[in-house]
Amino acid sequence: MTAPKVFGIAGWKNSGKTGLAVRLVTEFTRRGYKISTIKHAHHDFDIDKVGADSYRHRQAGAHEVTIVSGTRYAIMHELRGASEPAFEEILARLAPCDLVLIEGYKREPIPKIEARRLEAANRQPLAPSDPHISAIAADHAVTDTALPVFDLDDIGAIADFIAGIVGLETPRP
């Protein structure tokens, strides 16, 4: 099995990563591609409602809980003190797709675009110290780089750039 094509979106808190990821998923899907995403959270999170049956299964000690309906399914895996899984392990669990967009995981050696916004919590550029950043998307002028710079809202151009970098083929109908 071939490894999926991956492209990352890196940036500090409030840099526009999520908005960019959502708009890119919309654009690539509109173009006919099958897109998956991986979002790295730096904090405890929960996608389950307190009191729900699946929540009660987890609280009782289940290692994995799968919720299945006619519309979707989700698998929650409790680490129960184990280490966070490696990026490659998470990637390997995904179903085949045309492209996996990665939000976060800014230290992974994958091609990525750096999102920058004036309102970001930290304005320190990531690109100078990360050779895997291949472009910058910003809501302000960026002149201190030789990398391609896109307007954060120019989703068509950013999608074209990503497609070129990862070698996305035209989707088959």
Coordinates of all heavy atoms in Angstrom, one line a residue, residues 114-117 136-142 149-153:
E114 N 2.9 27.7 6.2 CA 2.8 28.4 7.5 C 1.7 29.5 7.4 O 1.7 30.3 6.6 CB 4.1 29.1 7.9 CG 4.0 29.8 9.2 CD 5.3 30.5 9.6 OE1 6.4 30.3 8.9 OE2 5.3 31.3 10.6
A115 N 0.7 29.4 8.3 CA -0.3 30.4 8.4 C 0.1 31.5 9.4 O 0.7 31.2 10.4 CB -1.6 29.7 8.9
R116 N -0.1 32.7 8.9 CA 0.2 33.9 9.8 C -0.9 34.9 9.8 O -1.4 35.2 8.7 CB 1.5 34.6 9.3 CG 2.8 33.7 9.3 CD 3.9 34.6 8.9 NE 5.2 33.8 8.8 CZ 6.3 34.2 8.3 NH1 6.4 35.5 7.9 NH2 7.4 33.5 8.2
R117 N -1.2 35.3 11.0 CA -2.2 36.4 11.1 C -1.7 37.4 12.1 O -1.0 37.1 13.0 CB -3.6 35.9 11.6 CG -4.4 35.1 10.5 CD -5.7 34.6 11.0 NE -6.5 35.6 11.6 CZ -7.3 35.4 12.7 NH1 -7.4 34.2 13.2 NH2 -8.0 36.4 13.2
I136 N 4.1 30.5 2.7 CA 3.5 31.2 3.8 C 2.2 31.7 3.3 O 2.1 32.2 2.1 CB 4.4 32.3 4.2 CG1 5.7 31.8 4.8 CG2 3.7 33.2 5.3 CD1 6.8 32.8 5.0
A137 N 1.1 31.6 4.1 CA -0.2 32.2 3.8 C -0.4 33.2 5.0 O -0.4 32.8 6.1 CB -1.3 31.2 3.8
A138 N -0.6 34.5 4.6 CA -0.7 35.5 5.6 C -1.8 36.5 5.3 O -2.2 36.7 4.2 CB 0.6 36.2 5.8
D139 N -2.3 37.2 6.4 CA -3.3 38.3 6.2 C -2.6 39.6 6.2 O -3.2 40.7 6.3 CB -4.3 38.2 7.3 CG -3.8 38.6 8.7 OD1 -2.6 38.7 8.9 OD2 -4.7 38.7 9.6
H140 N -1.3 39.6 6.0 CA -0.5 40.9 6.0 C 0.7 40.7 5.1 O 1.0 39.5 4.7 CB 0.0 41.3 7.4 CG 0.8 40.2 8.1 ND1 0.2 39.1 8.7 CD2 2.1 40.0 8.2 CE1 1.2 38.3 9.2 NE2 2.3 38.9 8.9
A141 N 1.4 41.7 4.7 CA 2.5 41.6 3.8 C 3.7 40.9 4.5 O 4.0 41.1 5.7 CB 3.0 43.1 3.4
V142 N 4.3 40.0 3.8 CA 5.5 39.3 4.3 C 6.6 39.5 3.3 O 6.5 39.1 2.1 CB 5.2 37.8 4.4 CG1 6.4 37.0 4.9 CG2 4.1 37.5 5.4
V149 N 4.6 33.5 -1.1 CA 3.7 34.1 -0.1 C 2.3 34.2 -0.7 O 2.2 34.8 -1.8 CB 4.2 35.4 0.5 CG1 3.2 36.0 1.5 CG2 5.6 35.3 1.1
F150 N 1.3 33.7 0.0 CA -0.1 33.8 -0.5 C -0.9 34.6 0.5 O -0.6 34.6 1.7 CB -0.7 32.4 -0.6 CG -0.1 31.5 -1.6 CD1 0.9 30.6 -1.2 CD2 -0.4 31.5 -2.9 CE1 1.6 29.8 -2.1 CE2 0.2 30.6 -3.8 CZ 1.2 29.8 -3.4
D151 N -1.9 35.3 0.0 CA -2.9 35.9 0.8 C -3.7 34.7 1.5 O -4.0 33.7 0.8 CB -3.9 36.7 0.0 CG -4.9 37.4 0.9 OD1 -5.8 36.7 1.4 OD2 -4.8 38.7 1.0
L152 N -3.9 34.8 2.8 CA -4.6 33.8 3.6 C -5.9 33.4 3.0 O -6.4 32.3 3.2 CB -4.7 34.2 5.0 CG -5.0 33.2 6.1 CD1 -4.0 32.1 6.1 CD2 -4.9 33.9 7.5
D153 N -6.6 34.3 2.3 CA -7.9 34.1 1.7 C -7.8 33.6 0.2 O -8.9 33.4 -0.4 CB -8.8 35.3 1.8 CG -9.1 35.6 3.2 OD1 -9.3 34.7 4.0 OD2 -9.1 36.8 3.6

